[in-house]
Every structure is written in C-alpha cells, then in structure tokens.
Amino acid sequence: MNLATVSPLIELRSVVKVYNSLAGSVTALSGIDLQIFQGEFLVVTGKSGSGKTTLVNMLTGLDRSSSGEIWVDGEPLHKFGSEKAAKLRGRTMGVVFQTFELLPTLTVLQNVMLPMDFAWRYSRWEQRKRAMNLLEQVDIADHAKKLPTALSGGQQQRLAIARAMANDPAILVADEPTGSLDSATANAVIEIFEGLVQEGRTVFLVTHDKDIAKRGSRVITLSDGEIVGAKENVHA
Amino acid sequence: MLRARWYKVINDLFGNKTRTLLIVLSMSVGLFALGIILSARTILSDGLAESFATIHPSSGTVRTTELFDEDFIQSVRKMEEVQDVDARRNISARVQTASGEWKNITIFVVADYDDIRVNKVASQSGAWPPPEREILIERAALSVIEAQVGDVVLVRFPNDVERRVRIAGSAYDPAQLPAQIDGTPYGYITFDTLKWFGEPYGFNELHVIATHPENKDWAQQVVNRVKDKAEKSGYTIPMSMTAEPGQLPMDDVLQGILLLMGLLGVLSLFLSIFLVVNTVSALLTQQKRQIGVMKAVGGSTLQILGMYLVMVLAYGVMALLLAIPFGAYGARELSSVLAVFFNFDIYSMDIPQQTYLIQAAVGLILPVLASLVPFISSLRISAAEAMSSYTMGRGRFGKNWIDQLLSGANLWFMRNLSIRSILLSVRNTFRNKGRLTLTLVTLTLGSATFISVFNVRASLTSTVEDMIKWFNCDVMLTFDRTYRADRVEFDALSVPGVAQTDVWIQLPTRFVRSDDSESGMVYMFAPTVHAESLIVSPTIAEGRWLMPGDDNAVVVPSAFLQDEPELHLGGDMMLKLDGKKHTFKIVGTYVGMAFLPLVYTNYDYITQITNRVGEADALMVKMERHDPAYVDAATRALEDHFERIGVRVSMVSTINNERTEAEASFDAIVALLLVMAILLALVGGLGLMGTMSINVLERTREIGVLRAIGAPNRGVALVFILEGVVIGLMSWAMGGLVAIPMSQGLNQALGQAVMGVPLTYSYSMPGLWLWLFIVVLLSVLASFIPARNASSLTVREVLAYE
Ligand SMILES: Nc1ncnc2c1ncn2[C@@H]1O[C@H](COP(=O)(O)OP(=O)(O)O)[C@@H](O)[C@H]1O
Ligand SMILES: [Mg+2]
C-alpha cells in the first residue's frame, strides 16, 4: 500500500496548544504536523508531561487548539465549536481514557448504548443487539446487566473499548488505556486493539510503555510538545 | 424500552436516595413556607370580608346620655341618607370572676334578638334568644370572665343592683373588639332581665348604616347628621364614632399581620429561590465530570441539558408533592388559629389557585432556569477541562480572606492530623466561590429573617413600654362626675398604701374646622402640670410638652395633623367644649396610638374656662409599692373607702393591667411571629442541613482520597464538621447584620398599619443567641451525618462514588 497517494484520515498542521493559568503559560504542543491514515496502528510515546494527552484532546476535539489546523475525514475540526466537535466525534471517533470514565449509574450494556443514543443511530433494538455483540467481542457479555463498579479494572477498560466502538467509528483514540492495569491484563487489552486493526480499523494509541509501543505499525515519540522521532515497524 | 440516556436520569434519581431526599427536602421547605403564607393570607382576608358582610356592619355608632325609645329609632330610619338603623342599650356593668375579682363587662340589651338589622349577633351555643333572668356571653369573652356556659355569675349594675345570673349560652358578635384583646367581655340580655335589675326601659346606642357605606366621608357625614338630629331632639351625645367602611374592629391589627405575612412571604420566596438554585447548581457541580464524559462520547449540549432538565423537573415535582399538601394543611391551621383570636368565622378554607401557580413556578421553572446558568457557563469550558483534574488545581488559593482564615496557623487544634491534605479539602469548599456565595446568601437570608422576627417581637414590647411609661402612677380612677379635687386627694391619701396622688379632668370635645364643620369625638385630657405631676410627657414627636404656665396650649397626636390639613404645629386649633368654642395653640405633637384622638391641655386653664375650678373627675394614685399584688390590694381598699364616703368610681385601671392589655392586643401578632419564626427556623435549618449535606456528599470521593492517604476517620469527619460550622457561623453573623435593616423595615410597615407610627426599634439578643445555637447544632448535624456515612464506606467504594 502506498500511503502517499491516499489522503489521510486525520491531518494536523502546525498545531500549537498553550495553557494559560495564573501560574503562567505552558506550551504543551509547539507546532505538531501529523498525518494518520486509514488502517494504521499509530502509537505515540513520550515521557510524562510531554504533551501526549494534549495531542489526544486536540485531534478528538475535546479541547481547542491555540493555533494550527486539524482535519478529520475532510472536515475542519479546528473551526468547530464544542457542539459540532461532539457530533463529529460521535460519528467518526471512539475515545478510550486511562481512567475508563464509565458512567457509574448506567449498566454495562447501557454504557455501550449511550453513544448510539446520542448519535441517533440505529433503532433501539439494533442498539441493544449491537451493544451485546460488542460486549461479546471484548468478552464481557456475561456482565451486561451489572454496574461498571462491579467489574475488574481490565473488564472496565474492555467495556470502555466496546463503548468507543459503539457507533462503528473510523478511528479509535486511546490515551494510556493500560496505564491503570497490570501487565497481563494490559496485554489482553492491547490484543483487542490489534484485533481491531486486523479488521481494518484505525487505532491511535498513547502509551509510555516501550514494549507496547513496539506493537504499533508506526511509532512517534513526543518530547516537550514536539515530535522527536518517528519509526515504521514491520510486523509479520 | 427507554433510550439509554433516560436510564441514566432514572438511576441518578433513584440510585442515590440520600441525595434525592436531601435535594427534594431543601427544595420543598421553601415551597412549603411559601404555600402557608400565600394561602393563609388569602383565606384570612376573604374570611374576614365575608364574616363582616354577613353581619350588616354599621357605618357608625351614636350614643346618648338620656334614653330614647322606638319613636326616635323610627324617625332616624326615615332619614333618606340612612339605609338602616338599629338600637341597643349599652350598660357598663361589673362581673365577678371565679377567682373573686371584679371585672368590667359591657352588657347589651336588644329588643328582638331574631330581628337585629345592624351589627347582627348570632347564636353560638346554648339558649337563643337569652332567656329571662339569664345572660348570653360573647364566645370570645367566656375565657375572659373565666366562666363556661351553665355557670352562674354575679353581675353588678351601675345602679348597684347585684344579681346572680346563669350563662344560658354563648353568642357570636364579630362587630365587637374581641374580648381578650381589650379585656372587656360582652354579655346579652333582654329588656325583661333589665327590668329585674331595676333599670328602666330605653335605648342609648344607635347603629347606623349610611346609604353608601363604602364611602367613608359620606358615612361620616351621615353619622354626624344623625348625631345633630339627636342633639336637636334634646339628647346629649357623649360619643359618636364612624367605622372604617367594611372593617372589623381589629382590622388594623389583622391588616398588619397580613402585611407582615406578605413581607415574610416575599422573603421566603427569595429563600426558596436561593435554596432551589443552590441545590441544582450543587447537583450540576457534582455531575461535571460525567457531563464531560458524555460530551466525549458524542453527546450534544442540548441532549445533555435535556437530561438534566428532566432530572431537575423530577426533583421539582417531588418537592411540590410534599410542599403543596403540607403547605395547604399549615395554611388552614394557621388561619383557623388567627380566626379564633380575631373572633370571626372562616367560610371557605379553599386554597387559592395562585398559591399553586406560584409554588409550581418556583418549584419547576426556577430549577430549570437555575440549571441553565451552569450549563451556559459550562459551554465555555471544553470537555477535556470538565474531565481534567487540572481544573481543581487552577483555583486562586491564598487570595481571599477565607483562605487566609483557613491557613495552617489558624488550625492549630488539628496539628496531629494530616494537615496538608485536610487543608486541601477544606479549601475546596471555598474554591467554588459562586456556590459558596449562593449558599451564604441563602443561609444569611434565613438567619436574618429569623432574627428579624424576634426583633419585631422585642420592638412590640418596647412600643408598649413607650406608650405606658409616661404614666408615673400605679392606678387611675375615673369618677362618675366631678368631685372637689382637694377632697378626693385628701381622702385617697388617708388610705394605707397610697403614697402620692394627682388629679386630672377629662372632657369630650370636638375640633371645629374653619368651614364650621366638626370633627368626630376628641378626648381632652387635662392633667396638672407641675414638678410632682404623676403624668410625665408622652413621647413628643415635634414641639414640646405642656409647661406649668401654659394657658391655651394643646398637645395633639401627630397623626391628627396628617388627617386635618388645616392644623399645624404652632398654629391655632378651635375646640368646642360644653357647646362653646375655644381657641387653643398647638405647642407639640406626640407619638402614640392614633386610634383614639386624645389631646392634652393644662388642668388649671381648662377648669377655669369650664367653670370647674378645684374639681376633678379622675384621680391618679402612686402606691408605696408597685408589684401587682400590692397595688391590687391597696386599690381595693381605696375603692372601698370611696364607696363608704359616697364617691362613685366608674372605672379603675391599674397600669399593670393597662400594660397587660396593651401587650395582649399585640398577642396575636406575637403569636403569629412565633409561628413564622418556627417556620423560618425549619426552612432555614433544613435548608442549611440540605445545603451542607449536599456539599459533603459532593465530596465523598475526596473523603476517600483523604482516607486512602491515611487520614483517620474521625479527623476527616471533624474537617467537614468544622467546615459546616464555619459556613453556619458566617451566615449567622451576616444574618445578624442584615436583620437590622430588615427588622426596621418590618417595624415600619407593621407600626404604620397598626398605629400609624413605626414601632419602637429594639434588637433582640435572645433571638440572636437562639439562632446561633440552632445554626451550630444544625451545621454539626448536617455535616456529621453524611461525613460519617462517607467514612463508613470502604475506600474502594468511595473512590468509585460519583
Ligand atoms: N489543563 C491544563 N492546564 C495547565 N497546564 C496543563 C493542562 N493540561 C496539561 N498541562 C501541561 O501541559 C503539559 C503536557 O501535559 P499532558 O498533555 O497531560 O502530558 P502527558 O499526557 O504526556 O503526560 C504538561 O506540562 C502539563 O503540566
Ligand atoms: Mg497523559
């Protein structure tokens, strides 16, 4: 596959993010250029505080950039307000967080159905069927009726992945999804992402774990808000 | 099957029962108070108007000294400006109570009890009409004479005839001032019974309804014409008076109460608005992170807003379900208590529609508006920020005085706790300044209202003191006619216990305007003015009190100058005394009850111009001791002495009684104020508890963190209790300050309504301390319970709490 001829799924052009607070201003990203292509397993690594989460927030539209352009599926996310960003996210992206961020008063099944509900996708019966399928895919269908707090950490993160998959997004964005998990559980979670990539999905995964980074198809390294290294991995 | 988002709403509502209960309670206490006040106000004023309309109220009353008969009634009835007229005999008698004490009683004699045309009296219980040689007592008067229907009481007529009469029943006579208020009970007998008492047949009181009773000026003119007619027919008119159109005798006081209730209603409206807004914004603060998550998974602001609006509406509906029935119940109870006190019947206990509407508006629309505010502001922050822990760390700590107060140095008593983390926690309360402000405003308003209610109560007492204090004597005796002043004084001083005496003379007079028209009855009091006078100056509004050398000087009530535009301080005033006109000079105005126009002139001058030199018809006595028991005993001895020497005493009033009676006339207001104070304490207290508990609940997670890092449970609970008490104390202190202007406003309004002048301002320290006690107690309870609950969860459960 010749990547150069394919237009990127997501493109960042000179994206800068400066946080202003009373303590002074912090430049978390200083001019990021990045292209993400369909079918990639892109891994971002870097030390704590290097700007990884900020980058996730920029390309998902969870936060606004200070300057620069962000194009998602041909749409100018950098020009969108939070409303349009939320809609775009609902349609095209699934987000997974380090601390899971499940809704504590919804059951496992309802957590997966919620994004479909917000996106007005699928009939209610389809929503339910899809949600059950996704839970089966991540191996927690047995716990569908439970509340998230009754699940183990690894199960909660799988639930979060299932929820991210709810609207059949073009890309999955995960910010340190294994950060709160032990290594065996973490491995199982990464395997799910690999499976999804194999199905042809695009995954954008943030980690500071070197071993996990090796499993991506492309790895970029952040330091002080700048991309300091990029490497293509060739897997069997 | 519902959409997933509604499951979240339902689970949030019913999954966290403690929170739902707290929110619903805080919202409903305000709505409850609002309901009581709005409904009671309407029920009472409607009931009053209706009760009054059914009795055919008179426009005015004309009393004669000589008796008149049916012919005269007929001739008045023929006057074309008179719509209707009826007559009674009015007798000031004495009655002996069960405890042996003699009390004044007004006895009415009516010709036909089943055909009363004006100021109708109705049967309440027992016999009707009054049987021969028996008496009916007004229902509100039974307690005053300490008797029941069926009892036999001893009654003494002015002609000294004493008879034992059985109380055959009770009557309902709303046109009279309720007996317990002025201490004068009312009785009803027939002319046959009157004859048995040795009194001749005849009437002495006309009750007149003018053709247009609603027009006060016209009614006054008509009453004056009836009076003129009576005078022309040869009757002496000691008194005539015009009623306010459509008003019961206690209308001023009741209007004062209704006004006060209205003002407190507005205050509790604000209070409930703040409670509702505060509760809703607390809820949304708590849900901030989840809102961020929902945005992250594609929820639009509108969708999320929709969810919270439904939730808030559900809280509102639950609060209304509590507040509406309890409010209606409270309103009915309060109305019936007040109606008994003011002695009128309530015909309809229907809760007015607008109460429901206002309650629903406050309970449903306000929470919605309240939740829009945080939503609109949350639009400005990104989803990332809503979910970020950075927002917590971006506060402006160390800048404001609250933060200073909570700096380590001031928390020495917690030295052995994990101070750093604990401080962090306490400081969080103050970080959200909007919430803190809202909480404080709510609690301050509650505190201020509670304290103000106590202040108004204290002010009522000081007002009575003010009205009484210029009587420097213990007893006042009024004689049936004038006697020689030096004789009565000499006789009085011979009675043991009497220390000092003084005399005055009192005369009915009328003010004559420049167009020759006359005012209603004005009482002229002419005390002696010298260094040892037993009457000192009433509170002077403008000008001065009488001086020894004054001749035609007069001191008038300030309200009189407002009513009579041609009068002014320093100007002249023409008064008719014994049918002759005299010119007086207004040297001062005094503050006092404006019900009864009383003017003061110099004894020496008045006795001179009326040919009564050396005479007196009233005696003031100062006893050797002033305690009620001593004064009563000495007064009895004095009365007996006068009776033996043939001096007829028509009225005795001790200052102690006067004070009790004046205070009693404020009793209803005081009682109502107490009810209101309790209600507001309930609202303020529950509001305080709710607000604080929600604050603590909101931070269950933080409690978990504190415990995870090793803070002892007791220490954690202590931190939250401390925080609650700090907030409580702040609201108490601010409420105490806000109460100053608030109670001045209430005093102004209430005083104007009841007496035409503001009440004498007084700040109630007991009220302030009582509220301090309540506030501290409730703050501790409110923060202790949820904090203990949070501490009893396992750390893992707490951290999962959202
Ligand atoms: N909301 C914020 N306010 C202020 N500074 C922030 C905020 N978020 C991140 N930062 C700062 O920006 C830099 C990058 O942070 P982040 O993107 O969270 O790094 P990473 O995810 O790689 O650990 C850090 O120096 C951090 O302190
Ligand atoms: Mg990060």
Side-chain angles (χ1 to χ4, degrees), chain A residues 52-53 98 175-176:
Chain A
K52 305 182 294 293
T53 298
Q98 176 179 352
D175 187 3
E176 310 221 24

Side-chain angles (χ1 to χ4, degrees), chain B residues 113 153 445 594 661 751 759:
Chain B
Y113 277 92
V153 288
L445 195 62
E661 276 169 23
L759 302 183

Side-chain angles (χ1 to χ4, degrees), chain A residues 19 21 26 28 46-55 175-176, chain B residues 388 390 394:
Chain A
Y19 291 108
S21 71
V26 180
K47 287 203 283 290
S48 176
S50 58
K52 305 182 294 293
T53 298
T54 308
L55 183 58
D175 187 3
E176 310 221 24
Chain B
S388 156
Y390 274 104
R394 287 205 325 184

